[in-house]
Amino acid sequence: MALEKVKGLLPEVEVDRYFVSAVLCGSATAILVSRWVSQRRVQKKLEEAKRRRELGFQRMENAARQFKQQNPGIKAAPILSLPLVELAAKLRDGTLSPESVLYTYIEKALEVTQQINCVTDFLPECEEQLREVKKQEKGLLYGVPVSIKENIACKGHPNTMGLVKYLDRPEPEDSVIVKVLKKQGAIPFVRTNTSQGILNIDCGNTLFGQTLNPFNHKKTSGGSSGGEAALVGGGGSVIGIGTDVAASIRVPCGFCGICGFKPTGYRLSVKGTTSPVEGMNSAINVTGPMARDMDSLVLCMKALLCDELFCLDPTVPPLPFNDEIYSSSRPLRIGYYDGDGYFQPSPSMRRAVQETRKLLQEAGHTLIPFTPPRINFLVDELFTKGVSADGCSTLVENFDGEFVDVTWTNQLRCCKMPDLLKRLLALILMPVFPRISRHLNALIGVGSVKNLWKNNVDRMAYRDEFIAEWRRLKLDVVLCPALGPAFNLGYAGKLFVATTYTHLYNVLNFPAGVVPVTTVSEADEEELRHYKGYYGDPWDKRMKEAVQDAVGLPVAVQCVALPWQEELCLRFMKEVETLSSERRGRRKI
Ligand SMILES: CCCCCC/C=C\CCCCCCCC(=O)NCCO
């Protein structure tokens, strides 16, 4: 009846059924064919990139082999075991030649990447740089081979972030950070793997594959600077540079048992580095050093904070490294917390903080409990809503036409959901899983420019509140958990929100770094069996599964200072490193 009525309202037109079916079938075929053609194109590009990558590896392998044959007396082990400070000193005084160090590290990096797939490409121009450094005045990093995360521009190489669409865009010039490193005599020699699109704490993409943890191949190296952390942790590089907008230096460093430092945004240059959501300012993207020990991080920061940096990027404040603050031994007032109220720490994360707190107290510092204010508001309203202010459209566009890596499918599905569905699901989930419901709501974004400005105002107010509490307690620094231990493969891409411990300090824009202090014990593993999480929801269940089977893996703590107090933060990190390594030494006796 109703259909008849509607028909009656429509103008009388002769419809040729065969013609309509032909048009529909033709359109469907055209769509399928064009999709197939574009997938073939992507596939071809992927294969070509893999072939080029292999050729690059072979070329460097040959160069290293040739050098070794010509210099049979050079032993790798004594070079590879030198911490950066000693290595740099030996290079400067001529005890070691830049060639011997570079080719030794090339060989080692090849060996490490064959096991855990952490290097994306070798930089053949490192051989030219080898000749170049000899012509210039010896800098603080004279002759030191340096590894670079793949989203930091090296002239002639694309910043792909594991996305095929960027393969054809070689960078026209080095990033400022790379230029400064070269000015200081360093030799960038490899680029390292990232998560696809660099907004993930895993490290896998369809271009370069999955990077594994150097200590346990069933675990991820973490991300997004996971290639860097795995290479340094595996001994294939003595110093590397990563980027961090939420976790990407600190999480992989924690997972791979090395030190990593995220300075205040703008203290180091990000010119020439690609960010996961270009233009987004709700969490600040930074570059920072990653290395096996604290002295290496400090030497790298000293080298980077030089006139060359201030001249190449005038948006960086001209603040050279302040040795007086770094060298001070004045006792500190240290705030601490072992859980943030959003994601319950794993037993080893909490123990790492508690044991470090005790060591610091015994060393004469004052430890004061500290609670980050309004954590749900910070995570859902300021971080997640801020990062996805555009309803995730910038990020989703990045994945258009790409084969999506398994480490991303879960999260991308959430991001791609129509707003109405996100809202509906959030409503349904609210009574049972309130945390997941709030997250879904946040992924809708802010809706208007006016709301984005309001979000910015809220962020500033939150920062003032945080600083006021810090000041009320007269704190110098804060000690808190670093996410860990390394997740089992397949979990990181489903546990983005476990980055609360780190992304808080990108929203606040405070300097923060991680230092490994302990390893997972049998007792931690046993305690994990009773882990319920703060909410008992599917995320908590996943977290428990993610960190299981980790006995012996490294666990770090996080050290934080107020903005622009990089030197104080590094001093605190160094103290934590010294105290925990002394304790480990005592335990061995
Ligand atoms: C725009 C979509 C947002 C999706 C959901 C946001 C929630 C959590 C995201 C946290 C993931 C952080 C991974 C680490 C990112 C990072 O620091 N990248 C370095 C970039 O230089």
Side-chain angles (χ1 to χ4, degrees):
M1 270 294 272
L3 199 65
E4 286 305 307
K5 269 190 187 162
V6 174
K7 266 189 185 168
L9 292 174
L10 291 172
E12 289 267 320
V13 207
E14 241 345 272
V15 182
D16 183 338
R17 282 206 205 134
Y18 295 109
F19 176 73
V20 172
S21 333
V23 167
L24 286 177
C25 288
S27 316
T29 317
I31 291 171
L32 287 175
V33 169
S34 96
R35 197 173 284 173
W36 181 80
V37 169
S38 95
Q39 285 189 350
R40 277 292 304 154
R41 202 176 302 136
V42 173
Q43 187 62 38
K44 272 195 149 175
K45 281 189 169 185
L46 270 173
E47 281 158 18
E48 172 58 19
K50 280 186 185 145
R51 204 182 53 81
R52 271 208 309 268
R53 186 179 182 214
E54 274 313 309
L55 282 177
F57 282 12
Q58 270 166 27
R59 181 172 166 187
M60 296 316 283
E61 198 176 338
N62 293 343
R65 189 179 313 122
Q66 199 181 350
F67 179 79
K68 224 171 140 187
Q69 280 162 359
Q70 288 164 358
N71 301 272
I74 292 171
K75 296 276 167 279
I79 294 178
L80 295 171
S81 63
L82 284 176
L84 175 63
V85 173
E86 286 172 45
L87 180 75
K90 285 191 191 296
L91 280 160
R92 260 201 315 278
D93 70 16
T95 319
L96 284 173
S97 72
E99 288 84 353
S100 61
V101 175
L102 177 64
Y103 290 110
T104 300
Y105 266 104
I106 287 179
E107 201 185 23
K108 183 67 184 173
L110 272 164
E111 182 195 315
V112 174
T113 201
Q114 265 150 22
Q115 291 164 11
I116 55 174
N117 189 37
C118 48
V119 172
T120 58
D121 47 347
F122 274 92
L123 299 171
E125 56 274 29
C126 66
E127 294 187 293
E128 170 61 26
Q129 175 67 4
L130 197 54
R131 290 184 284 276
E132 210 46 51
V133 292
K134 292 190 182 150
K135 293 185 212 150
Q136 51 187 65
E137 203 182 308
K138 282 186 184 173
L140 284 176
L141 298 173
Y142 171 74
V144 173
V146 179
S147 47
I148 308 285
K149 184 180 177 183
E150 204 254 13
N151 67 322
I152 303 174
C154 292
K155 188 178 173 183
H157 301 263
N159 292 2
T160 69
M161 306 180 284
L163 295 163
V164 172
K165 62 166 65 67
Y166 298 119
L167 265 175
D168 300 328
R169 294 194 211 167
E171 290 296 320
E173 57 177 324
D174 283 339
S175 52
V176 165
I177 279 295
V178 167
K179 282 184 184 163
V180 177
L181 286 168
K182 284 183 172 174
K183 178 79 180 172
Q184 288 286 13
I187 306 180
F189 75 119
V190 283
R191 302 226 295 165
T192 52
N193 204 18
T194 69
S195 51
Q196 196 170 24
I198 61 170
L199 196 75
N200 190 337
I201 46 169
D202 209 328
C203 190
N205 57 73
T206 46
L207 245 186
F208 305 114
Q210 168 85 44
T211 299
L212 304 176
N213 191 289
F215 298 105
N216 181 338
H217 295 182
K218 290 185 182 149
K219 301 268 174 183
T220 175
S221 60
S224 62
S225 318
E228 204 49 58
L231 181 67
V232 174
S237 173
V238 70
I239 181 87
I241 306 290
T243 62
D244 188 318
V245 78
S248 283
I249 289 178
R250 290 158 292 160
V251 164
C253 284
F255 281 13
C256 295
I258 62 169
C259 303
F261 184 56
K262 176 204 90 67
T264 314
Y266 319 114
R267 179 90 198 251
L268 293 178
S269 177
V270 284
K271 228 173 170 358
T273 66
T274 317
S275 146
V277 186
E278 292 290 355
M280 184 278 296
N281 236 354
S282 300
I284 308 294
N285 194 35
V286 304
T287 46
M290 302 160 68
R292 288 195 292 262
D293 59 46
M294 281 309 301
D295 288 344
S296 308
L297 295 190
V298 171
L299 177 60
C300 186
M301 285 301 288
K302 280 184 184 169
L304 290 171
L305 294 171
C306 64
D307 286 345
E308 184 75 3
L309 174 75
F310 310 138
C311 175
L312 285 171
D313 187 350
T315 65
V316 166
L319 296 170
F321 192 88
N322 187 327
D323 240 321
E324 202 181 313
I325 298 180
Y326 180 68
S327 314
S328 161
S329 54
R330 155 184 84 84
L332 298 171
R333 283 180 62 86
I334 305 168
Y336 74 92
Y337 57 95
D338 64 9
D340 67 1
Y342 195 95
F343 239 106
Q344 187 181 328
S346 65
S348 57
M349 275 166 83
R350 206 188 40 237
R351 181 174 57 78
V353 170
Q354 286 302 346
E355 287 181 1
T356 309
R357 174 194 63 77
K358 195 159 168 275
L359 289 174
L360 287 161
Q361 225 154 14
E362 286 163 4
H365 302 289
T366 308
L367 275 291
I368 303 125
F370 175 76
T371 310
R374 296 193 288 150
I375 193 71
N376 290 350
F377 179 75
L378 171 279
V379 175
D380 303 317
E381 293 299 311
L382 299 183
F383 177 77
T384 309
K385 198 177 261 187
V387 171
S388 36
D390 61 349
C392 309
S393 62
T394 308
L395 178 107
V396 168
E397 265 169 34
N398 241 352
F399 284 85
D400 271 356
E402 299 282 333
F403 292 129
V404 177
D405 191 69
V406 285
T407 50
W408 248 107
T409 36
N410 190 285
Q411 191 59 40
L412 202 60
R413 209 175 294 134
C414 290
C415 292
K416 276 183 167 175
M417 261 184 226
D419 287 355
L420 194 67
L421 189 58
K422 284 180 194 159
R423 239 183 267 279
L424 196 71
L425 264 180
L427 204 71
I428 297 168
L429 292 178
M430 187 45 105
V432 254
F433 304 132
R435 181 170 57 172
I436 302 179
S437 161
R438 292 198 311 264
H439 178 74
L440 273 172
N441 247 327
L443 289 182
I444 294 169
V446 293
S448 68
V449 174
K450 194 173 171 193
N451 289 345
L452 180 60
W453 291 346
K454 164 89 173 57
N455 197 271
N456 289 342
V457 171
D458 288 348
R459 188 172 70 252
M460 297 310 151
Y462 181 83
R463 198 177 58 181
D464 289 347
E465 184 182 340
F466 198 100
I467 293 175
E469 181 60 4
W470 186 298
R471 289 260 156 84
R472 189 183 69 79
L473 298 170
K474 298 190 175 60
L475 303 181
D476 295 303
V477 287
V478 161
L479 169 77
C480 59
L483 186 64
F487 287 3
N488 289 316
L489 289 172
Y491 283 90
K494 297 176 190 158
L495 272 171
F496 275 23
V497 205
T499 53
T500 56
Y501 287 95
T502 43
H503 72 224
L504 165 65
Y505 296 108
N506 297 77
V507 174
L508 290 167
N509 196 19
F510 286 13
V514 295
V515 185
V517 293
T518 186
T519 52
V520 178
S521 65
E522 296 280 0
D524 295 327
E525 200 75 23
E526 177 56 32
E527 198 183 325
L528 183 67
R529 284 154 50 96
H530 310 288
Y531 180 95
K532 292 273 180 291
Y534 291 135
Y535 287 80
D537 63 10
W539 285 354
D540 283 329
K541 192 168 162 278
R542 259 182 221 162
M543 174 74 169
K544 180 179 175 179
E545 291 166 5
V547 295
Q548 257 163 12
D549 302 324
V551 174
L553 286 189
V555 187
V557 290
Q558 187 173 208
C559 304
V560 187
L562 285 175
W564 310 113
Q565 300 203 354
E566 276 66 32
E567 292 82 349
L568 178 62
C569 191
L570 289 162
R571 178 216 146 171
F572 178 38
M573 289 168 73
K574 170 75 185 164
E575 204 134 341
V576 166
E577 180 191 58
T578 309
L579 292 170
S580 58
S581 65
E582 277 171 9
R583 187 192 52 148
R584 279 199 295 272
R586 277 199 305 272
R587 277 190 175 170
K588 275 185 197 140
I589 297 167

